[in-house]
Amino acid sequence: MEKWLKGDERLDYLLAENLRIIQSPSVFSFSLDAVLLSKFVNIPYHKGNIVDLCSGNGVIPLFLSARTKGQITGVELQPRLFDMAERSIRYNQLENQIQMILGDVKEIPKQLGIEKYDVVTCNPPYFLAHEASDKNLSEHHAIARHELYLTLEEAIHSASKLLKQGGKAAFVHRPGRLLDIVTAMRANRLEPKRMQLIYPKEGKEANTLLIEGIKDGKPDLKILPPLYVYNENNEYTAEVREILYGKEQ
């Protein structure tokens, strides 16, 4: 085990997928948002080329690997997170399906190629560079959570550049940025086609937005039923339990 882990890292389970992921309390760990995006996006099962932007420690590529036999490329800016993702991929023996690239999302279309990909996923930084989310953020957390190196518009622009005509791009973000997201998607030839709002529990305001668009698609947005994370007893709802842990036997 020691050869896989460094410093304060630990090996966590991705339960529904029977995979493991290397995480660290001092670096940005994945959240439910990443899990939800990986389940929400439509991806081809048998083949296809998929890119995940802002991959962090590789959680979305790992989740997607359980849903497709296609090739998956993850892109991450931070060397520490990139290194953790690479080791997680090797630990799960997925090197033949997933590759990680250490690079800037803004430059990645030039590196990977224009209009070559079937699906792009992205869990971008949520907060504007000047917004306060937590006064005590480490540099790793700050880069992952704030638009210090990548804005929402830049992420959407790169996603569109990577996609073939008819390809799909899926994003997870905050509902407050919905109009910014739709505006940027349409400005970059991504027509919103599916959307779902995630609520902490019934009676509360939505706090997460999932949206998928098709490059050069026809206007026709479907709003999926709401997803509630917790029930009245503050336990995961049946839908979220299944997403996290798989179907109960």
Side-chain angles (χ1 to χ4, degrees), residues 14-72:
L14 302 180
L15 292 166
E17 284 67 24
N18 198 27
L19 297 170
R20 305 289 288 274
I21 187 167
I22 295 168
Q23 302 228 91
S24 159
S26 60
V27 199
F28 198 70
S29 297
F30 79 86
S31 65
L32 181 62
D33 296 358
V35 186
L36 294 173
L37 178 61
S38 67
K39 303 289 184 176
F40 170 79
V41 63
N42 280 312
I43 54 173
Y45 176 71
H46 289 291
K47 59 182 181 179
N49 291 303
I50 300 160
V51 180
D52 177 55
L53 304 175
C54 310
S55 282
N57 62 349
V59 62
I60 289 176
L62 288 171
F63 274 120
L64 293 178
S65 73
R67 295 187 54 209
T68 181
K69 294 179 179 176
Q71 291 297 306
I72 303 165

Side-chain angles (χ1 to χ4, degrees), residues 6 8 12 21 32 79 167 171 221:
K6 299 178 181 178
D8 62 357
D12 289 347
I21 187 167
L32 181 62
F171 306 92
L221 176 63

Side-chain angles (χ1 to χ4, degrees), residues 219-237:
D220 180 25
L221 176 63
K222 289 183 171 53
I223 310 291
L224 277 61
L227 179 66
Y228 300 101
V229 176
Y230 295 103
N231 61 24
E232 63 277 8
N233 299 320
N234 291 319
E235 299 164 336
Y236 284 132
T237 59

Side-chain angles (χ1 to χ4, degrees), residues 150-162:
L150 181 73
T151 67
L152 173 62
E153 290 76 13
E154 288 166 343
I156 290 171
H157 180 72
S158 285
S160 178
K161 287 276 191 190
L162 290 163

Side-chain angles (χ1 to χ4, degrees), residues 187-214:
N188 286 281
R189 298 168 56 194
L190 296 175
E191 184 60 33
K193 299 289 281 186
R194 294 169 64 238
M195 188 180 103
Q196 186 173 34
L197 289 168
I198 314 300
Y199 297 78
K201 61 197 315 185
E202 286 198 49
K204 298 286 187 184
E205 289 185 3
N207 62 356
T208 304
L209 163 75
L210 296 164
I211 190 163
E212 181 182 81
I214 293 180

Side-chain angles (χ1 to χ4, degrees), residues 74-91:
V75 180
E76 174 52 41
L77 179 68
Q78 299 192 61
R80 171 100 195 265
L81 288 167
F82 167 82
D83 176 55
M84 292 166 69
E86 285 226 302
R87 282 181 283 129
S88 289
I89 290 162
R90 290 201 305 273
Y91 183 90

